[in-house]
Amino acid sequence: GDPLGFVANAGSGGAYFPGFALSEMISCFIFAVFFYKRRITWLRVFFAWILNLAIVTLGMNSLWLMLMYGMDAGAVFATMRVVSNLAQSPLHIILLYFVLRKIEDLRRA
């Protein structure tokens, strides 16, 4: 979807960087390992979110920003991203749990 989105929005000023597509693939893999054909639990949601946050959001995506904008600017982005994501994580975990549980209930019905 990333390459197609870039082509569809050509001229909007943004550059295509394949690292973010790789990040999305890894993120989907992490969530699939934790949730595919498995019961949804608070512990599973918590660890899936934290692992995705550490590896993809704060790790890989921060690295891509450093490569794109230079190490100094990337370090500033990375610092802001850590604070922002840690503050938002409890809400994201709660929402993810309830949405996945509802999907699980609908699937059983």
Side-chain angles (χ1 to χ4, degrees), residues 18-96:
F20 291 110
L22 178 63
S23 292
E24 286 303 313
M25 287 184 237
I26 300 296
S27 183
C28 289
F29 178 76
I30 290 170
F31 284 115
V33 166
F34 278 89
F35 301 127
Y36 183 69
K37 293 188 177 183
R38 297 178 188 257
R39 189 168 185 279
I40 305 302
T41 64
W42 280 107
L43 199 58
R44 196 177 301 272
V45 171
F46 175 79
F47 282 116
W49 182 263
I50 296 300
L51 191 62
N52 185 67
L53 180 68
I55 293 173
V56 178
T57 305
L58 300 178
M60 295 174 70
N61 288 349
S62 295
L63 174 64
W64 306 145
L65 290 171
M66 286 181 200
L67 292 174
M68 289 174 65
Y69 297 111
M71 295 304 269
D72 293 336
V76 171
F77 286 144
T79 303
M80 291 186 305
R81 290 166 63 84
V82 167
V83 172
S84 170
N85 281 288
L86 289 178
Q88 295 175 20
S89 284
L91 179 61
H92 285 280
I93 291 169
I94 292 167
L95 288 173
L96 183 61

Side-chain angles (χ1 to χ4, degrees), residues 1-15:
D2 281 348
L4 293 176
F6 173 71
V7 170
N9 294 319
S12 66

